[in-house]
Amino acid sequence: MPAASVTPRPGAPERLARMIALPTVSAELDAVGREPFEAFARLLEEEYPLVHAHLERERPSEFGLLYRWPGRSDERPVVLMAHYDVVPARAEDGWTHDPFAGVVADGAVHGRGTLDDKGPLLVILEAVENLLAAGFAPAQDVYLSFGGNEESYGDAAPIASDLLHERGIRPWLVLDEGGAVIDDPMSWVHVRSAMVGVAEKGIMTVVLRADGVGGHASAPRGTTATARIARAVRRLERNPFRPRLPRSARDMLGTFAAHASGSARLALRALAAVPWLTARVFARMGGEPAAMVRTTLAVTMLSGGSAPNVLPAGASATLNLRLAPGTTTAQVLRRLRRVIGDRHVRIEVPEASDPSPESPADNAQFDAIRAAVGAAHPDAVTVPYLMMQATDSRWFHRYTPATYRFAPLAMDAGQRAAIHGVDEWVSIDSLERGERFHRALLTALPD
C-alpha cells in the first residue's frame, strides 16, 4: 500500500498539546508522583483507539510501554522507539507560553517535550493509527517501545530490550530519537540534511576525591585536599584524549561531498580521504568537531570546604566523559589514573557505559530510512553521523547491529537550542512530515 494512499486524520496538533499538558518530568518523580505518567498512558488509549484495539500492549516495567503490531512475518521485526518523560521547565525562566500549557498557535505546538520526545512519539502513533484505519497490515512485526524515564537514565529501555532478547526476537531495524532535518549541519556545509545517528558515544560519570588535614587556613600543612583535586583536574585538561576520525564521520563527510560543489566538494573529499589529518584538524577546531573525533572530558561539579578560613578535610570533582567509538570504559579509567598520577586521589565511577557500535550506512535498513526521508522531506539528503548524546537505543544496540537515531522532524538552530532549554516548539508542518516518514517506512518493509 503506497504511503500516499492513506488520508491522515485531523487533530494531531491538539493531541500533542494534550500530551504536553501532562508534566511527565522524571527528574521530579518524588515530587509529582506517578499520576502524570499513568495519565499519559490513559491518554494514549483515548487518542489512539485503533492502536489499542489491534496492537498487543504490555508493561515490562513501571514506566515502560511495549506494543506489538503483528505482521505477515516475524522474521525481520522493526522497533520504533520514543520516550514520554521530559526535563524540568518553569514558566518564570522566560517561556513565551507556559511550558506545560500545550498551546497551539502560529502554526506550531509549544511546550516542553514537543521536540524531545513527545512530538516524535506522536508521529509514530499517528502513522500507525492512520494505517490501521486504512486496513493496512505490515509485512513484518512492528514493536513500539516507549519509555517514561529516559531523561533520568531509568530502566524502561534496558528492561524492554532484555525482554525481546530473552524471547529470541532479533530486530532487523531499531529507530529511536536522535538527529533531525537541519539546514546547516556544519558551519561550512550548507546542505539540507536528514542527520541519522549511526552510533552514539559512551558516557562516564567520574568522581575524584581527596582527603586532607582540616584546620585553620592560616597554617596550612602539606598539599591540601583542594590542591590535590585542582592539580588532578589541571593534568587531565592539559592531556586530552588522542583524536581519531570514526567511520561514521568519514561516511558523513563523504555524503556531504557527494552533494556539494566547487571548492567545498574538494575540501570535503580531502577530509574524508585523510582521516588521520582530519582528526587533528577537527580537534583543533574545538566544540562539536573536536567532540566528534575524541573522548571528551568536562569538569561539571567541584566541592570542598565550608568556610573561607577553614582547611577542608576533603574535596571532590565530578567529571562527565563522552567516550569515542572504539574506546572502552576500562581503557578510560586506566588512562585517568595514569595522567593524574596521584595515589592520594581516589577515582569513583558511579555510572559508565561503552560507546555503541557503528551501524552501517550501506545496508537495506539505512536505505529504508533514506527512502522514508525522501517521502517526507524530498529536499533533504540522508546523512550518517555520530551522536554526542546518549539515548535509550544504546540498550537495543547491544543485540541489534542495525540501530539508528533519527526524529523525522525539521529543526532549525533555535529549536535545537530550545531542547532542554526555553521555548521548545514544533511546527505543524513538521508533525505532518514526521507522520508521513513513519507511514512510508512501515508500508515499505520488505516481505
Side-chain angles (χ1 to χ4, degrees), residues 109-125:
V109 185
H110 303 262
R112 174 61 83 221
T114 48
L115 296 174
D116 183 21
D117 189 39
K118 291 179 179 177
L121 184 150
L122 171 119
V123 297
I124 293 172
L125 287 172

Side-chain angles (χ1 to χ4, degrees), residues 4-357:
S5 67
V6 175
T7 302
R9 62 183 181 144
E14 290 72 24
R15 285 187 284 277
L16 179 57
R18 287 189 280 275
M19 293 181 185
I20 300 304
L22 295 172
T24 52
V25 183
S26 53
E28 299 175 351
L29 181 63
D30 292 341
V32 303
R34 288 187 52 182
E35 177 50 29
F37 300 85
E38 294 301 321
F40 189 89
R42 293 194 298 270
L43 178 66
L44 296 189
E45 293 181 29
E46 296 168 8
E47 300 292 356
Y48 299 97
L50 295 180
V51 167
H52 289 81
H54 293 274
L55 274 64
E56 305 163 5
R57 191 188 80 164
E58 58 184 311
R59 301 283 294 266
S61 62
E62 188 176 18
F63 296 101
L65 300 171
L66 183 64
Y67 298 81
R68 174 178 174 262
W69 189 6
R72 296 189 296 275
S73 170
D74 60 2
E75 293 182 0
R76 286 179 281 189
V78 170
V79 178
L80 303 180
M81 300 179 63
H83 65 87
Y84 59 93
D85 64 318
V86 298
V87 296
R90 290 167 179 81
E92 56 267 28
D93 290 338
W95 286 73
T96 304
H97 304 281
D98 186 295
F100 295 108
V103 173
V104 181
D106 305 317
V109 185
H110 303 262
R112 174 61 83 221
T114 48
L115 296 174
D116 183 21
D117 189 39
K118 291 179 179 177
L121 184 150
L122 171 119
V123 297
I124 293 172
L125 287 172
E126 291 290 317
V128 175
E129 186 81 4
N130 291 331
L131 288 169
L132 286 168
F136 174 80
Q140 303 291 336
D141 281 1
V142 175
Y143 291 86
L144 313 180
S145 181
F146 302 148
N149 52 18
E150 188 270 352
E151 299 288 5
S152 55
Y153 302 101
D155 61 2
I159 288 176
S161 171
D162 288 343
L163 179 63
L164 294 183
H165 183 68
E166 291 165 6
R167 292 175 178 173
I169 298 166
R170 303 292 182 267
W172 180 73
L173 167 66
V174 173
L175 185 62
D176 194 10
E177 64 169 334
V181 178
I182 60 179
D183 286 331
D184 297 302
M186 302 181 77
S187 60
W188 41 281
V189 177
H190 307 290
V191 177
R192 186 164 173 80
S193 304
M195 304 300 297
V196 178
V198 296
E200 62 184 58
K201 300 180 80 172
I203 185 169
M204 284 182 73
T205 300
V206 173
V207 181
L208 308 180
R209 297 191 189 277
D211 299 326
V213 179
H216 202 283
S218 63
R221 291 176 292 170
T223 305
T224 64
T226 49
R228 285 192 184 279
I229 292 299
R231 184 172 62 190
V233 168
R234 185 170 63 251
R235 287 174 176 172
L236 290 172
E237 291 190 336
R238 287 181 175 178
N239 293 275
F241 288 79
R242 182 177 299 175
R244 185 179 69 85
L245 193 71
R247 185 188 68 188
S248 51
R250 291 187 65 181
D251 290 345
M252 179 189 73
L253 293 169
T255 304
F256 285 150
H259 294 85
S261 59
S263 59
R265 171 178 287 189
L266 295 175
L268 287 163
R269 282 180 173 173
L271 288 170
V274 191
W276 65 269
L277 179 59
T278 302
R280 284 155 181 78
V281 170
F282 278 24
R284 288 183 175 274
M285 291 173 67
E288 285 194 4
M292 193 183 303
V293 298
R294 66 160 40 127
T295 293
T296 59
L297 181 152
V299 182
T300 55
M301 300 170 67
L302 292 168
S303 177
S306 57
N309 60 347
V310 176
L311 296 174
S316 68
T318 300
L319 318 176
N320 182 272
L321 294 99
R322 301 300 170 115
L323 281 59
T327 307
T328 67
T329 55
Q331 290 171 339
V332 169
L333 187 57
R334 287 195 297 270
R335 188 179 188 280
L336 294 180
R337 288 196 177 103
R338 184 175 68 253
V339 172
I340 291 171
D342 187 342
R343 61 186 179 86
H344 296 291
V345 174
R346 302 190 304 279
I347 301 177
E348 301 172 2
V349 185
E351 177 193 27
S353 62
D354 287 334
S356 75

